[in-house]
Amino acid sequence: MNLDQLDPQQQSDLNDWMELIRIPSISSDTSRVSDVERAADWLVEKLSMSGLTVEKIPTKRHPMIFAETAKPDGDHVTVLVYGHYDVQPAGDESLWTSPPFEPTIRDGNLYARGATDDKGQMLTHVQSVCRYANQASGPKIHIKLMIEGEEEVGSANLDEMLPQLSDKLACDVLVISDSSQFADGQPAITLGLRGIATYELSVYGPGRDLHSGAFGGTVMNPAIALCHLMSSMIDAEGRIAIDGFYDSVKPQSESEIEAWKNLPHDDETYRESVGAIELFGESGFSTNQRRWARPTFDINGLTSGHQGEGVMTVLPSTASAKFSFRLVPDQDPQAISRALQDHVQKHCPKGVRYDLKADHGAGAMVVDADSPFVDAAANAITDTFGVSPVLIREGGSIPIVGRFQEVLRCDCLLLGWGLDDDNLHAPDEKFRIADYFRGIDASGRLWQELEGIGKKP
Amino acid sequence: MNLDQLDPQQQSDLNDWMELIRIPSISSDTSRVSDVERAADWLVEKLSMSGLTVEKIPTKRHPMIFAETAKPDGDHVTVLVYGHYDVQPAGDESLWTSPPFEPTIRDGNLYARGATDDKGQMLTHVQSVCRYANQASGPKIHIKLMIEGEEEVGSANLDEMLPQLSDKLACDVLVISDSSQFADGQPAITLGLRGIATYELSVYGPGRDLHSGAFGGTVMNPAIALCHLMSSMIDAEGRIAIDGFYDSVKPQSESEIEAWKNLPHDDETYRESVGAIELFGESGFSTNQRRWARPTFDINGLTSGHQGEGVMTVLPSTASAKFSFRLVPDQDPQAISRALQDHVQKHCPKGVRYDLKADHGAGAMVVDADSPFVDAAANAITDTFGVSPVLIREGGSIPIVGRFQEVLRCDCLLLGWGLDDDNLHAPDEKFRIADYFRGIDASGRLWQELEGIGKKP
C-alpha cells in the first residue's frame, strides 16, 4: 500500500496508533505507573468521544477500561472484546534500530514497543467498534470492551475481580486479537493457547563476593550451582527432566495432528525466519507441535558476578535465573510449581542457599472448532484478506482467556492480524501498517456477520 | 593505634596512599587510560622527589615505572621490588559502603578499590625505599623498583619486554607484597602461588531475541546451552570434569602437607569469615590444600536475556559466561586451553554456535624455602610484628612472578601485610592502616637485614 496516499480515515487511525504507542505503559516497571495511567486515560478519551459508555475501573495496580455500545432491542448477540494497553519492557535499548517508544515507519511497518502487542491489534477493534457504534442504521449487536493494563504482568487483578464483574462482562462470544496470522498473507483463527508459569531462582553462596584466587576451591560458587540446577531441569534431547512434569499432558487429537500436516509450513523457511543454525526440540514432534501443543522450558535471563568489560576474577556471592514453562492442556500451573519446588530442593548443590519465587501462572486453553462464531469470523476474514483462514493454535499465553471462559461461559475467537516475525517481547517490535488497516476492516465485517446470527445459538 | 595521633611521617605516608587511591587506574577499562597514566605519573613524581633515578617505560598499553637507588661500592645484594599501580574495576558500585575511589577510614581500616591490591602494599616498599635511599650512612644494598600498570590484565607487555629488560632488572632477590598475612596478627612468608587461565564463552542461538511463547520449544535456548556447558565442566563433588585437566598436577610434598596441619587454622572460623553456610570443595583435601595447592574452576560472571525488574518471557539470542581456572605446579595454561577447547567442542549442545576466548594465562610458582633471603625476611617480620611468620602458599596468582624467576634467575620473597578479609577484587576492599605502617617498617628492616648478607650467597 502507498503510505503517501492514505485517506483521511486511515491517517486518523494511524495517528491514534502512534499517539498511544508514545506512552511507555510498561506494567512491570514501578517507575512507569503514571505512564500506564496516561495510556488508560487516552483510551477513555477515545472511546467516550465516539459515544460509547466508558468506565475506568480502578484496581490495586493499573486501571481497567470497560466500554460498551448502546444495547439493541430484541434478540442480539453480545460480544466482549478483550485487549490490553500495557506493554513489555523495551529491554536493551541499544538493540533497537529506532527508539522503542518513538513509533517509526520503515518498509511499510510501524516499529515500536507495543506496535503489535497489544496496542496495534487492540486498536483495530477499538476503531471498528467506534465506527459501528455510530453507523446510521444503529448497532444490531451489543459490543462491550474490556481493556486492561496488566496483561504483561499476569492479569492478577482482572483475574481476581472477574467474578464480581461477570454481569457487566456477560457475553456470547469473546473476541481477542493478541495472536498472529499463520504466515504472510495466510490469516488464521487460533483455537488454542499455551499456559505459562514463570519463576526466578536466586542462589546465595558466600556472604560477599570473594577473590577467586584466595578463596576459590573452598566454597561452592553460586553461579556454578545455578548452572548445575538449570541444567538439571532439561536433558540434552530437549525433554524437561522434572519428575511428574508430563503427567497430566493430554494427548493431541489425531484429527488435529492430521490437519496440521496440511498447513503451509516449511521447516527451512521457519529456521531462516528465526535465524538459528538448526531447529531443535523435543524428539518425535513436528515444529508446529513443539511450539503449539507441547510444554516447554526456557531460561529468560541469567545474572551473576562481573558482566562489564574485561576480566574480574571474582567468586560471586549470588547468581540468579529468570525462567518460564509454557504449558498445554491439562497441565495445572500449581502442580508444576510443586514439582519444580521438589526438583530444586532435591538437586540444589551443597554449600549454597536458594530462593525460588513463582511469578505468574495460567493454564492452557482450547476453543471449540464447531462454533458458529468461528464460521462468522472465517467469513469476515475471507472477505477482507481474500484468503480463507487456517485453524491453528499458538504457543503464547493469554492467561486471562481461560478465566473468561470459566467465569463467563462464553465462546471465544482469537483473531490475529500480526506476523510471526513481529518481534513481540523483543527489540524492533513491529506491525505492518497495511495489516493494521485490514484488521480494522475485518473487525468491522465481523460485527456485520454476527448480526446475522441474531442470538446466541 | 590512635589515628588522631599520627606522627608527621605517618600522616604523610597516609596522605600519599589516599592520593594514589583517588586515581581510578582501572587497567582493563579502556575509558580509564588517562587515569592509569596519572597514577604512573604520581609514582614518577614521588620517587624522583626522593632522589631515586626514575624512568617511565612506555608499553603498547600502560607505562611501567623503573626506579633505583644509587649503586653501593663493593659487594652488595641487589633487590628488585615488584608491584603494580593498576586496580580491578569497582564492579557494582551500589554494593560499596563508600565510593570505591574515595578512600574512607572506618574502624581503623582504609576502604577503597586498591587500598590493599596493590597500591597499599606496593607503597609500603616505595616509602621504605625512599627513606633508605636518603639515610645518612648511604645505602649498602642496591634497590630497584619495577611497578607496572597491567597486573590486573595479565602483565602481557612486561612479560613480553622482560628479556630485553633483563640487564636493567638483574637482581639477587625479588620482593613482592601482593599477598596476605596468614591471619590477623600472624604474618606469613608465601612460598607458592597458583597459576591462572581466564576465559569468556559466548553461546549464540536465534538471530534475535524471540518470544518464548511463539517460538519456545523449536530452537535451542542459548542460556540453557550455556548452563549445560558450564555444568559439564565440574561435577557435583567439585572435581573438574575436563579430560586431562589433572594430568600434570604434581603431588604436594609430604613435609609441606604435614607442616600445614600445624598452621593455626580452623575450618569453622574460616567458614564464618567467608559467610558461607558450609564449606565445599574437592574431597580428600583440607581447606588450605583446596585454596593453595589444588587447581580450581570458578564462574566469574553470567549474562543472558532479561536482567531488569519484572518478567520478560524472552528466548534470548545469546548467553555468555566469564570463568577462570586456578592452576598448580606443573599445569601449563596452554595445555589447559587445548583441553578446554576439546571439552567445549565435544559438549556444545545442538542448535547453537559458540565463541571461546582465552584472556590471560600463567603457570603456578613455588619458592625455595631454604634460601637465606627467607631467613632475612623472617627476622625483619619477627622484629616488626613481634611474631615469627608462618610459611604458607597463596591461592591467588601473580602471573609475572614465574616469568621473573625464569628470566632473572633470582630468588623471591612474597611478603604480605594484608588480611584474608580485605575484599580484594570485591566491594568494600580495605587495608588496615596499622598494617600499612607496620609494612613500611618491616620493609625498612628487611633492607637492613639484607645488608648483613653482603652478596648473593
Side-chain angles (χ1 to χ4, degrees), chain A residues 194 208 221 298 302 307 423, chain B residues 208 213 273 298 302 307 423:
Chain A
R194 292 196 286 193
R208 62 182 195 278
N221 180 312
D298 272 297
L302 290 174
Q307 306 189 320
N423 299 329
Chain B
R208 63 182 194 278
S273 76
D298 272 297
L302 290 174
Q307 306 188 319
N423 298 329

Side-chain angles (χ1 to χ4, degrees), chain B residues 140-366:
Chain B
K140 294 193 180 65
I141 64 170
H142 186 192
I143 310 184
K144 304 172 176 179
L145 298 110
M146 162 53 72
I147 304 170
E148 68 153 326
E150 300 182 4
E151 198 271 344
E152 301 293 3
V153 290
S155 305
N157 286 310
L158 177 53
D159 184 275
E160 188 186 317
M161 292 162 76
L162 207 48
Q164 74 205 63
L165 294 170
S166 61
D167 284 347
K168 190 189 289 286
L169 302 180
C171 64
D172 300 310
V173 61
L174 179 69
V175 173
I176 305 177
S177 287
D178 198 10
S179 49
S180 299
Q181 297 185 49
F182 177 71
D184 193 352
Q186 177 54 67
I189 297 176
T190 298
L191 301 181
L193 294 167
R194 292 197 285 193
I196 190 168
T198 67
Y199 303 91
E200 181 159 0
L201 176 62
S202 302
V203 176
Y204 304 98
R208 63 182 194 278
D209 286 1
L210 300 175
H211 187 294
S212 74
F215 301 94
T218 64
V219 293
M220 173 56 82
N221 180 311
I224 293 176
L226 183 73
C227 287
H228 281 328
L229 270 169
M230 299 314 293
S231 181
S232 76
M233 293 187 194
I234 184 163
D235 70 19
E237 304 307 314
R239 203 169 155 86
I240 293 156
I242 294 168
D243 283 348
F245 183 83
Y246 292 98
D247 282 0
S248 55
V249 171
K250 196 165 137 187
Q252 208 184 349
S253 75
E254 284 303 322
S255 61
E256 193 177 42
I257 294 173
E258 281 309 306
W260 286 5
K261 287 183 181 162
N262 297 321
L263 288 172
H265 169 89
D266 171 59
D267 264 359
E268 179 56 17
T269 308
Y270 178 85
R271 184 197 64 73
E272 275 180 21
S273 76
V274 296
I277 56 167
E278 62 179 309
L279 298 182
F280 175 81
E282 199 186 356
S283 67
F285 297 94
S286 70
T287 297
N288 287 332
Q289 286 181 296
R290 285 169 175 173
R291 61 180 175 150
W292 298 339
R294 295 298 302 171
T296 52
F297 164 71
D298 272 297
I299 295 178
N300 309 121
L302 290 174
T303 305
S304 184
H306 180 59
Q307 306 188 319
E309 199 190 350
V311 172
M312 187 172 176
T313 50
V314 72
L315 195 170
S317 67
T318 65
S320 68
K322 295 181 189 243
F323 60 99
S324 53
F325 299 95
R326 298 287 168 168
L327 308 178
V328 299
D330 290 325
Q331 289 180 301
D332 169 26
Q334 307 281 334
I336 297 299
S337 286
R338 286 191 298 272
L340 177 66
Q341 277 158 10
D342 290 348
H343 181 91
V344 173
Q345 187 165 35
K346 185 173 153 193
H347 288 83
C348 184
K350 284 173 264 185
V352 290
R353 291 180 303 110
Y354 69 86
D355 178 37
L356 175 64
K357 215 163 50 196
D359 196 286
H360 63 273
M365 61 82 68
V366 278

